Amino acid sequence: MKELSLHILDIIENSTRAGAKNVEIVIEESRKEDYLVIEIIDDGCGMDDQTLTKVLNPFFTTKDVRRVGIGLSMFRQAALRAGGDLTVRSAPSKGTHVTARFKYAHIDRQPMGDMASTITTVLISNPDLEIVYRHAVDGDQFVFDTRVVRSVLGDVTISSPDVARFICDIIRARQNLD
């Protein structure tokens, strides 16, 4: 994966397969203090200690369709290449919390990518999922919350083409926060 947003998309797909109804994405960038932190927090089924010890192994997966689970291990490698690391916390019935840390200015840090398309893609394919997306750059913060959008929409579905396009445009307009 060439962009961090694609890693985030992969983790959210794992969350929805694990039964998550709520996902929070927190991105904090500090150019001054030279760090980037990405957190994905879900309320899915979580993992027991035995599964948690294997989750970063690329040859471990809980999926029946293939024998490798490279998503988390690739995300961790991306963080390690950029002077950071990745941790996973989880417990059965408590959800999962993935945290990736990067040196912001590291030459090998992947670009953030298109978070607007990532969020929109998730919402189109999972229209009942509640997402809170917080993105802060040097203290300036943007928050997108599907619960707020739903309260305004009434009976209109969040995955309708016009709403999806509107959501994508809102996030894209604030994506860089510059």
Side-chain angles (χ1 to χ4, degrees):
M1 291 184 221
K2 294 182 180 184
E3 298 175 341
L4 297 172
S5 62
L6 298 176
H7 290 288
I8 294 167
L9 178 62
D10 181 63
I11 303 303
I12 296 171
E13 287 175 357
N14 290 344
S15 296
T16 59
R17 277 194 298 277
K21 302 293 180 210
N22 299 281
V23 173
E24 183 174 2
I25 303 134
V26 179
I27 299 173
E28 186 176 345
E29 302 179 46
S30 175
R31 295 173 185 131
K32 180 181 176 184
E33 295 180 34
D34 194 30
Y35 70 83
L36 166 65
V37 177
I38 298 172
E39 297 178 88
I40 302 108
I41 306 142
D42 72 44
D43 65 350
C45 65
M47 294 176 266
D48 60 28
D49 288 339
Q50 183 180 7
T51 304
L52 196 54
T53 62
K54 300 175 189 175
V55 76
L56 294 176
N57 179 339
F59 301 104
F60 173 77
T61 184
T62 58
K63 300 174 194 148
D64 294 331
V65 294
R66 59 186 137 135
R67 294 187 178 168
V68 293
I70 59 173
L72 276 170
S73 61
M74 284 177 52
F75 197 20
R76 182 170 188 240
Q77 286 304 313
L80 289 170
R81 276 193 310 273
D85 202 356
L86 181 137
T87 58
V88 181
R89 294 185 321 219
S90 189
S93 303
K94 300 288 183 185
T96 300
H97 188 146
V98 175
T99 304
R101 299 180 191 315
F102 305 81
K103 291 282 188 184
Y104 185 86
H106 198 286
I107 192 167
D108 291 325
R109 182 181 63 82
Q110 295 172 317
M112 181 57 64
D114 189 353
M115 282 303 298
S117 291
T118 295
I119 300 296
T120 305
T121 299
V122 170
L123 288 174
I124 289 170
S125 57
N126 302 281
D128 295 327
L129 185 66
E130 298 294 357
I131 295 178
V132 176
Y133 167 52
R134 300 175 198 279
H135 193 153
V137 177
D138 295 323
D140 184 17
Q141 179 172 261
F142 168 72
V143 178
F144 170 80
D145 188 332
T146 55
R147 295 169 296 191
V148 173
V149 173
R150 288 182 210 284
S151 71
V152 173
L153 290 177
D155 292 337
V156 178
T157 180
I158 203 162
S159 61
S160 73
D162 289 338
V163 173
R165 190 171 18 265
F166 178 73
I167 289 170
C168 191
D169 289 346
I170 287 173
I171 295 171
R172 188 163 285 131
R174 291 290 302 188
Q175 187 166 327
N176 294 324
L177 304 172
D178 290 327

